[in-house]
């Protein structure tokens, strides 16, 4: 049976950000003429590649991906992501990781469940879950190079609006996004327990106990060297009123 996978959306080339970490800046269409940036992280461990927040690539870049190493794992970190996961699962016969109940995109089912304190495909890496959120969301800590925190929607660092259309940029601004590190406003509203947003703060406190100095989210820009202090400021600003 032939499957109609979502076609590749406009995206850039594979970029090397750290010795064994790469990123592809892609896009996602929210509405007519409304594109925003969407990133895929690529962690290389020896000759194995781990795709984080997968984004389907056009053939030339997919060939370059294969040149980097063998695609062995794909990780879905956020509930609202996953449209390209089935394509990668079928194309590379990889091991697919996601949290229990991360089923907005029900296919593919998890080959391995992503659990805090459980196994991780990155040697020495660890998953941390937002245990107080209404929907599944997690982060991945990669221990190399001072610590790299890979997030999905929760924490985003925007240095510019690269990859966003005019409508997309303005939609983000109207939604409360600014060119800095921030807890995504819309994500926080959807995720916070009804009447008790302060409970999410406990999850961010746990993230701040992790050793990291770089951050890459599924949206926005790469934050190098100073990510921990930027996240601390963003958490303080988001929960100051509570």
């Amino acid at each position: 049976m032939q499957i109609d996978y979502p076609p590749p959306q406009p995206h850039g080339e594979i970029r090397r950000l750290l010795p064994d970490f790469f990123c592809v800046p892609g896009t996602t269409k929210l509405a007519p003429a409304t594109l925003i940036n969407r990133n895929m992280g690529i962690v290389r461990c020896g000759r194995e590649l781990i795709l984080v927040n997968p984004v389907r690539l056009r053939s030339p870049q997919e060939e370059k991906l294969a040149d980097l190493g063998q695609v062995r794992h794909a990780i879905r970190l956020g509930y609202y992501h996953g449209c390209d996961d089935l394509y990668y699962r079928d194309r590379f016969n990889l091991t697919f990781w996601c949290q229990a109940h991360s089923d907005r995109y029900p296919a593919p089912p998890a080959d391995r469940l992503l659990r805090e304190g459980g196994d991780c495909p990155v040697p020495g890496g660890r998953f941390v879950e937002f245990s107080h959120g209404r929907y599944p969301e997690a982060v991945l800590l990669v221990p190399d190079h001072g610590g790299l925190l890979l997030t999905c929607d929760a924490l985003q660092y925007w240095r510019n609006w690269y990859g966003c259309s005019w409508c997309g940029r303005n939609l983000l601004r109207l939604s409360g996004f600014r060119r800095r590190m921030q807890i995504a406003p819309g994500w926080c509203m959807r995720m916070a327990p009804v009447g008790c947003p302060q409970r999410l703060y406990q999850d961010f406190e746990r993230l701040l106990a992790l050793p990291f100095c770089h951050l890459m989210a599924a949206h926005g820009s790469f934050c190098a060297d100073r990510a921990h202090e930027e996240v601390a400021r963003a958490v303080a600003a988001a929960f100051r009123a509570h």
Side-chain angles (χ1 to χ4, degrees):
M1 182 180 68
Q2 184 172 350
I3 300 174
D4 292 326
Y5 304 106
Q9 299 300 307
H11 65 78
E13 297 189 351
I14 297 173
R15 302 175 179 177
R16 187 177 187 175
L17 301 177
L18 294 169
D20 284 304
F21 177 67
F22 306 80
C23 173
V24 179
T27 58
T28 188
K29 188 175 184 180
L30 300 181
T34 308
L35 292 176
I36 66 166
N37 143 283
R38 179 167 68 110
N39 302 310
M40 175 170 70
I42 306 165
V43 180
R44 184 169 62 186
C45 302
R47 285 295 296 165
E48 292 191 359
L49 301 181
I50 300 161
L51 310 183
V52 183
N53 304 318
V55 172
R56 186 178 175 184
L57 305 179
R58 300 185 190 277
S59 294
Q61 287 300 304
E62 191 172 277
E63 291 173 7
K64 291 183 179 180
L65 176 67
D67 289 340
L68 289 178
Q70 185 178 8
V71 181
R72 294 294 304 273
H73 301 270
I75 299 172
R76 178 191 298 172
L77 289 178
Y79 178 76
Y80 291 98
H81 286 242
C83 64
D84 294 322
D85 294 344
L86 182 60
Y87 170 80
Y88 275 107
R89 176 67 179 82
D90 292 348
R91 170 69 176 81
F92 292 99
N93 192 30
L94 49 72
T95 300
F96 174 63
W97 300 67
C98 71
Q99 290 170 275
H101 311 300
S102 184
D103 53 8
R104 187 169 188 263
Y105 293 93
D111 297 308
R112 299 288 302 273
L113 279 179
L114 183 167
R115 294 190 182 97
E116 185 163 343
D119 292 339
C120 180
V122 178
R126 59 183 290 196
F127 293 115
V128 177
E129 298 183 83
F130 285 87
S131 58
H132 295 97
R134 298 172 62 197
Y135 302 100
E137 178 103 3
V139 305
L140 169 62
L141 177 68
V142 179
D144 302 328
H145 311 296
L148 166 66
L149 195 67
L150 298 176
T151 69
C152 191
D153 291 327
L155 281 163
Q156 301 178 27
Y157 174 69
W158 290 85
R159 187 174 64 245
N160 52 50
W161 305 115
Y162 178 84
C164 301
S165 64
W166 183 88
C167 290
R169 290 195 301 270
N170 283 283
L171 176 64
L172 289 172
R173 291 187 185 113
L174 288 171
S175 300
F177 282 92
R178 298 295 182 265
R179 286 188 289 182
R180 60 174 182 256
M181 184 76 72
Q182 61 226 287
I183 297 174
W187 177 90
C188 199
M189 290 178 60
R190 290 190 299 268
M191 288 289 287
V194 176
C196 195
Q198 185 66 17
R199 292 186 66 189
L200 276 181
Y201 178 67
Q202 299 172 31
D203 287 324
F204 285 103
E205 280 190 312
R206 289 165 54 238
L207 294 190
L208 286 171
L210 300 176
F212 65 91
C213 60
H214 314 291
L215 181 144
M216 187 81 211
H219 305 285
S221 312
F222 180 57
C223 183
D225 302 324
R226 64 181 192 282
H228 196 281
E229 59 195 82
E230 295 285 349
V231 170
R233 277 195 284 266
V235 171
F239 292 98
R240 188 176 295 131
H242 303 288

